[in-house]
Amino acid sequence: MKCHVTIVGAGPAGLSAAIDLAKTGVSVVVIDEYYRPGGRLLGQLYEDRKAPRDERHWDGKEQAYELVQEAERQGVSILCGVTSWTVTDRWHIKLSGTEEKFITSDALLLATGAAEKALPIPGWTLPGVFSVGAAQTFTNVHKVAIGQRVLVVGADPLALSVVMEMKQAGIDVAGVVLPPASPAINKHLSSPVESVKRIGEAADLAPNPLLRMMGRLATGKLSGLATRALSLNLLKIEGVPAYIRKAAVSIEGDRNVESVTLQPVTIDGEPNGETEQIAVDTVCLSAGLYPLVDLAQVACCPMVDIPELGGTVPLHGPDLTTSVPGLFMAGNITGIEGAKVAIAQGKLAAASIAESLDKKPLLPKEDAMRHVEEARERSPIHFLPNIEKGRQKMRQYWEEQQNEKGVLS
């Protein structure tokens, strides 16, 4: 199979890029290993308080459906259940899961998204333990209750949104607690102060006025005060108590989850007090997301480690180009952000790709770059509190590389 552009990833970034590219007369093939297109949009359902009143209800499945329908109307080929396992010869993409064994194209856009980080606490391999992303998919996509009584371990924006979604679906959520302080777990995850800051990044999603107030305090100079206040357990998310001063020490059960052992912690996250047990049959673990960069590495794109963006990310420019000719990035592979930012990035990547193919972009690149920044400002949820610092680092690394290339040439 041949086309002008291959896009790996049928999420919001990949689909929006495909639509804009197809409208410029470019042939596009989108591939995704999931059985249906939409990516993480499929599990999203929340109220966006930053949006205009008539646009506040965000239904990710509906958004994904509209993007897919538009892409197909524009003649985009979408191949699902297909794995792109290597790329060679710029661009020869080898596939499995389909009769087509490879695609050749002039440009390659990687919109591969992100994966969940593990949270290895004792008992985490018992049946009845889910990642929070899996809980979101079961709840919103498949309409399946993951359990009768659920405890969420990990306080962050994704956990916050999934708690609200599970409650709205009628699931009994017993509470939200922190992970234990452990060498195997990032210390920021078990810190009450850092957890309050992370919750603050999603304050605009919160239906509870106290949560919104505490979230805004947490992102300012009063994070310690907010954390001490939360030791009173006044904070509730859709009626679910958030125990920001308690940690899950271990998950108990013979053949499946039966209970979780909790322990109070200090404001610094250190164990402090007697343990107790809470009876639950299901546990959701939330430790954050990291960019999926495997194909970018195979494509010989330089990598940089920027924790503020979620970990190791491909080196890329402000217009989502890379130092590898014909290779572009968009979405969470560039740093963990929300779906609205990913959609805007897809349009920016499409503009850059169109220019590289000597086509007139549907949206001028300067306008597309501005739209990305506007999407970031309007985003109701920020997964990483210091992501702007990460973006600054990326710009600095990119400029240094471009200067080195100029000197060498």
Side-chain angles (χ1 to χ4, degrees):
M1 180 184 293
K2 293 183 178 180
C3 63
H4 291 116
V5 182
T6 301
I7 299 176
V8 181
L15 290 173
S16 65
I19 291 167
D20 279 20
L21 284 167
K23 287 181 177 179
T24 66
V26 170
S27 59
V28 184
V29 175
V30 180
I31 60 176
D32 197 291
E33 63 184 0
Y34 198 51
Y35 76 95
R36 60 187 289 189
R40 289 193 173 270
L41 273 176
L42 297 172
Q44 296 177 3
L45 186 64
Y46 60 82
E47 183 181 0
D48 180 358
R49 293 176 179 271
K50 287 188 175 182
R53 188 169 295 275
D54 60 345
E55 300 177 11
R56 288 185 176 181
H57 181 69
W58 177 263
D59 186 333
K61 286 177 68 176
E62 183 179 313
Q63 296 291 327
Y65 176 80
E66 291 176 0
L67 286 171
V68 171
Q69 291 296 303
E70 181 61 20
E72 291 178 343
R73 278 195 295 268
Q74 298 301 326
V76 174
S77 297
I78 303 176
L79 306 179
C80 289
V82 175
T83 299
S84 171
W85 56 273
T86 192
V87 294
T88 59
D89 302 329
R90 297 179 190 167
W91 299 106
H92 187 85
I93 301 100
K94 296 184 179 180
L95 309 175
S96 61
T98 178
E99 293 182 359
E100 298 286 348
K101 297 307 177 185
F102 62 86
I103 300 174
T104 57
S105 58
D106 301 314
L108 173 63
L109 171 61
L110 297 183
T112 46
E116 293 188 75
K117 295 179 181 178
L119 191 58
I121 69 177
W124 72 309
T125 58
L126 278 170
V129 179
F130 293 78
S131 72
V132 74
Q136 186 180 54
T137 299
F138 275 108
T139 303
N140 295 338
V141 179
H142 304 301
K143 307 301 182 184
V144 173
I146 61 171
Q148 295 182 348
R149 184 168 166 80
V150 182
L151 182 72
V152 176
V153 181
D156 56 55
L158 180 57
L160 177 73
S161 61
V162 175
V163 165
M164 291 189 287
E165 290 161 5
M166 288 194 291
K167 279 295 291 184
Q168 290 165 5
I171 297 173
D172 180 12
V173 184
V176 178
V177 299
L178 301 185
S182 164
I185 297 173
N186 188 314
K187 63 181 181 180
H188 293 297
L189 299 177
S190 57
S191 164
V193 173
E194 294 299 324
S195 296
V196 170
K197 289 179 180 177
R198 286 194 299 274
I199 288 177
E201 295 299 328
D204 288 302
L205 287 180
N208 184 318
L210 177 62
L211 178 54
R212 292 198 297 273
M213 180 187 72
M214 287 299 183
R216 294 185 179 108
L217 282 176
T219 55
K221 297 180 179 179
L222 300 178
S223 59
L225 175 62
T227 307
R228 289 184 175 89
L230 293 183
S231 67
L232 301 176
N233 295 328
L234 297 174
L235 178 59
K236 293 184 183 294
I237 306 164
E238 289 281 1
V240 176
Y243 300 110
I244 304 302
R245 295 288 296 277
K246 290 185 180 182
V249 177
S250 60
I251 304 169
E252 318 293 345
D254 290 331
R255 296 190 176 183
N256 46 47
V257 173
E258 297 175 3
S259 64
V260 177
T261 299
L262 305 179
Q263 186 171 26
V265 295
T266 68
I267 194 171
D268 298 316
E270 296 299 321
N272 180 34
E274 297 296 323
T275 61
E276 61 179 299
Q277 281 196 323
I278 179 172
V280 294
D281 65 355
T282 308
V283 175
C284 287
L285 303 178
S286 185
L289 305 169
Y290 67 92
L292 283 172
V293 300
D294 307 60
L295 277 181
Q297 291 173 311
V298 172
C300 298
C301 183
M303 296 286 151
V304 287
D305 183 31
I306 304 180
E308 294 87 353
L309 295 181
T312 300
V313 289
L315 181 62
H316 61 275
D319 60 354
L320 304 178
T321 56
T322 73
S323 59
V324 181
L327 180 65
F328 303 82
M329 308 286 160
N332 279 349
I333 189 175
T334 71
I336 308 302
E337 298 186 87
K340 294 183 179 181
V341 176
I343 290 172
Q345 281 192 314
K347 292 178 173 296
L348 172 57
S352 294
I353 293 170
E355 283 191 359
S356 75
L357 299 176
D358 294 325
K359 300 284 186 178
K360 183 180 179 180
L362 185 68
L363 184 67
K365 190 157 62 174
E366 292 74 17
D367 291 345
M369 292 175 70
R370 187 177 66 255
H371 289 175
V372 171
E373 294 307 315
E374 290 172 353
R376 286 176 175 148
E377 292 174 4
R378 295 194 307 267
S379 180
I381 186 169
H382 298 89
F383 294 96
L384 300 170
N386 299 314
I387 194 161
E388 181 51 39
K389 180 180 178 181
R391 293 289 175 202
Q392 291 172 0
K393 286 185 178 180
M394 179 62 74
R395 286 191 289 269
Q396 179 182 346
Y397 292 149
W398 177 257
E399 289 170 3
E400 289 174 353
Q401 187 206 55
Q402 297 306 297
N403 290 337
E404 289 176 4
K405 288 174 62 176
V407 170
L408 292 175
S409 60

